[in-house]
Amino acid sequence: KSETDVLHLTEDSDGVGGEDTRGCRGTWPAAVHAVAITVDAVNKVVQGQFSNAFCATRPPGHHAGRKLHAMKAVSNGFCILNAVACAAIHAVSPIAEGGLGLRRVAVLDFDVHHGNGTQDIL
């Protein structure tokens, strides 16, 4: 892709510690859809429609923290939105606020390295 096809998704996407947060025109909608799909999967598991769920979505999210860069990291590992953290927050949010009202959730991150964004958010 040419430089004009690449979008700078964050303020640090100038190649100085942020090269990995670049994307294309479809990156933001894909990240939003990843969150929606993951939240929907949690809803369906809790409602008994699914016995379990696995959401293989892109872009990944476990490095995206509260303020994008989690725990003072210089890199964002291609992550834009943290879908699993959003789904976990939805699951434990009160029913009166649109959540599922669960007391607790477990997040299993089986990537080969630390999901610092998920830790930062949850």
Side-chain angles (χ1 to χ4, degrees):
K1 292 194 177 254
S2 72
E3 185 64 28
T4 58
D5 291 334
V6 176
L7 299 178
H8 297 284
L9 298 171
T10 64
E11 70 280 354
D12 71 334
S13 294
D14 57 2
V16 183
E19 188 75 24
D20 60 3
T21 52
R22 290 182 177 202
C24 64
R25 287 186 174 86
T27 301
W28 181 253
V32 171
H33 281 100
V35 171
I37 289 164
T38 308
V39 168
D40 189 49
V42 168
N43 285 335
K44 289 182 176 175
V45 169
V46 171
Q47 294 166 357
Q49 295 175 8
F50 294 169
S51 59
N52 57 49
F54 178 84
C55 301
T57 61
R58 298 300 281 173
H62 74 161
H63 294 302
R66 289 180 183 269
K67 295 184 177 180
L68 190 62
H69 286 275
M71 305 169 83
K72 300 180 182 176
V74 296
S75 172
N76 224 47
F78 309 101
C79 298
I80 308 301
L81 298 175
N82 195 320
V84 73
C86 291
I89 290 168
H90 169 68
V92 298
S93 292
I95 293 170
E97 295 176 11
L100 298 174
L102 301 180
R103 287 186 347 188
R104 62 184 179 201
V105 297
V107 174
L108 302 176
D109 185 343
F110 59 88
D111 200 338
V112 296
H113 56 266
H114 180 222
N116 58 329
T118 305
Q119 180 183 350
D120 182 46
I121 292 170
L122 301 178

